[in-house]
């Protein structure tokens, strides 16, 4: 396992559409392991492969609250089978848009079909935080970021702040 660099806005890769995988082979398992380590170290509760520059439909999620009891979910080729009509809002952030947060409304429940770490087809009924997290990550696979749900004014402001911050991080004074 190794930690990877997380891409941040305005990297154009984040806007590309990720490709389905053909099977969960050792290469995909390695990718899933690297993504989980990168996500835990960030720290975050979800990460899509595109965020480390790999355009494959793979995400990892762990919304468990207890740091000692990790409950990672490895999700490849997710398909949304249904979404509830009722919405829930959370203040969302994204490892690719550092230190920017905004309230986003999404369906409070979603049912997905996916391939797990062992390549088995699974179905999952997610609700609350898990549903929000999964929908946020599936958006990444389609080149969509949470700021796309905000007004243009708010979105532009957050992009500007994130870019400015990026510049400051890159700046070296010796
Ligand atoms: Zn994100």
């Amino acid at each position: 396992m190794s930690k990877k660099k997380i891409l941040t806005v305005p990297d154009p890769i984040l806007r590309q559409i990720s490709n389905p995988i053909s099977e969960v082979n050792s290469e995909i398992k390695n990718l899933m392991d690297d993504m989980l380590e990168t996500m835990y170290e960030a720290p975050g509760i979800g990460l899509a492969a595109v965020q480390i520059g790999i355009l494959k439909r793979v995400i990892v999620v762990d919304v468990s609250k207890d740091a000692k009891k990790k409950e990672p979910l490895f999700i490849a080729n997710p398909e949304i089978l249904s979404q509830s009509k009722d919405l829930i809002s959370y203040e969302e952030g994204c490892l690719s848009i550092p230190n920017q947060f905004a309230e986003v409304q999404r369906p409070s429940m979603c049912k997905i079909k996916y391939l797990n770490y062992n390549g088995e087809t699974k179905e999952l009924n997610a609700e609350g935080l898990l549903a929000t997290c999964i929908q946020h990550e599936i958006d990444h696979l389609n080149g969509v970021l949470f700021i796309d749900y905000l007004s243009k004014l708010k979105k532009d402001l957050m992009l500007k702040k994130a870019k400015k911050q990026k510049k400051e991080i890159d700046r070296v004074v010796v």
Side-chain angles (χ1 to χ4, degrees), residues 15-33:
R15 291 305 190 175
Q16 294 197 33
I17 294 177
S18 298
N19 303 304
I21 59 156
S22 50
E23 56 165 342
V24 181
N25 52 25
S26 59
E27 179 206 343
I28 297 296
K29 283 182 181 168
N30 283 340
L31 170 66
M32 288 170 160
D33 291 339

Side-chain angles (χ1 to χ4, degrees), residues 6 8-9 15 33 36 46 50 56 70 72 75 82-83 85 89 98 107 114-115 122 138-139 142 164:
I6 297 174
T8 55
V9 286
R15 291 305 190 175
D33 291 339
L36 194 71
V50 58
K56 290 185 173 17
K70 293 193 163 101
I75 297 172
S82 62
Q83 283 165 305
K85 282 203 181 72
S89 66
Y114 65 100
L115 297 174
K122 294 278 179 186
I138 291 176
D139 272 353
N142 298 320
K164 185 166 171 259

Side-chain angles (χ1 to χ4, degrees), residues 12-156:
I13 293 175
L14 293 168
R15 291 305 190 175
Q16 294 197 33
I17 294 177
S18 298
N19 303 304
I21 59 156
S22 50
E23 56 165 342
V24 181
N25 52 25
S26 59
E27 179 206 343
I28 297 296
K29 283 182 181 168
N30 283 340
L31 170 66
M32 288 170 160
D33 291 339
D34 286 349
M35 286 170 61
L36 194 71
E37 188 182 341
T38 305
M39 181 190 84
Y40 282 145
E41 285 217 9
I45 59 169
L47 189 76
V50 58
Q51 291 179 277
I52 56 165
I54 312 259
L55 289 168
K56 290 185 173 17
R57 300 188 83 80
V58 176
I59 64 182
V60 293
V61 168
D62 189 344
V63 297
S64 61
K65 286 194 182 80
D66 185 351
K68 281 177 226 143
K69 238 181 82 201
K70 293 193 163 101
E71 287 168 26
L73 271 173
F74 300 95
I75 297 172
N77 293 354
E79 264 177 67
I80 292 179
L81 301 177
S82 62
Q83 283 165 305
S84 63
K85 282 203 181 72
D86 55 303
L87 306 172
I88 194 168
S89 66
Y90 278 99
E91 189 170 51
E92 292 189 27
C94 179
L95 293 173
S96 294
I97 312 171
N99 301 317
Q100 304 302 315
F101 302 92
E103 224 173 82
V104 176
Q105 277 199 329
R106 298 183 188 270
S108 65
M109 284 183 273
C110 68
K111 186 178 182 182
I112 60 160
K113 190 175 140 187
Y114 65 100
L115 297 174
N116 70 5
Y117 193 84
N118 297 315
E120 299 155 341
T121 301
K122 294 278 179 186
E123 280 185 15
L124 172 71
N125 278 304
E127 55 176 64
L129 180 61
L130 181 60
T132 285
C133 185
I134 286 173
Q135 291 171 93
H136 175 122
E137 299 311 327
I138 291 176
D139 272 353
H140 272 300
L141 304 181
N142 298 320
V144 174
L145 300 171
F146 82 91
I147 51 173
D148 298 344
Y149 296 100
L150 311 176
S151 69
K152 188 174 182 310
L153 192 74
K154 210 166 178 186
K155 178 179 170 177
D156 289 347

